[in-house]
Amino acid sequence: MGERPEPRRRLTMPTKDQLLREAADKEALAVTFLRYARTLPEALEGIPARPGDCEPFWRGPAAQRFVTQVRRLRRELDDLEDDCLATAESLRRRARRLREQAARAADPA
């Protein structure tokens, strides 16, 4: 036998409380991204970044490979920091729009 069609779901507008909850969630997530972004510059702190600084640990070509790797990782962490900051800003903009939408929403009857 044939399958029954799934009943249509009614689309409902989010309530003011739902919009405000979603805005608060996005704001909290933005704070988390900002916290992560602030800690990233410290991730490689103290790690030698010049061949001369590596002498106690690495010599010759190994020192250069190590420094090349550290520089690449620093660039990647800089990019990650920028991405975290951009994501936080995007989340904050979305939260602001949700709060504006909530301000225009009618209270439930």
Side-chain angles (χ1 to χ4, degrees):
M1 294 230 155
E3 289 184 33
R4 283 188 167 169
E6 197 171 308
R8 287 189 179 193
R9 294 186 183 154
R10 293 181 61 189
L11 296 178
T12 58
M13 294 296 290
T15 67
K16 187 177 204 169
D17 287 341
Q18 288 171 326
L19 292 167
L20 291 174
R21 244 188 331 273
E22 186 178 346
D25 290 345
K26 292 197 183 309
E27 194 68 43
L29 191 54
V31 168
T32 300
F33 272 97
L34 287 173
R35 188 175 59 246
Y36 289 155
R38 281 189 218 109
T39 63
L40 287 171
E42 302 165 3
L44 296 178
E45 198 173 282
I47 294 179
R50 295 188 315 243
D53 297 340
C54 299
E55 286 301 317
F57 313 103
W58 304 101
R59 298 193 188 284
Q64 189 55 51
R65 284 191 305 271
F66 177 79
V67 168
T68 300
Q69 182 76 357
V70 168
R71 288 180 181 156
R72 184 184 62 76
L73 289 172
R74 286 185 195 276
R75 282 191 306 273
E76 288 177 6
L77 281 177
D78 286 344
D79 291 345
L80 183 57
E81 180 183 11
D82 291 344
D83 290 346
C84 284
L85 293 171
T87 299
E89 181 58 33
S90 175
L91 285 163
R92 286 207 157 136
R93 277 193 310 270
R94 180 66 181 135
R96 185 177 59 249
R97 286 193 302 266
L98 287 165
R99 284 189 296 272
E100 290 167 357
Q101 189 179 350
R104 293 188 305 269
D107 286 319

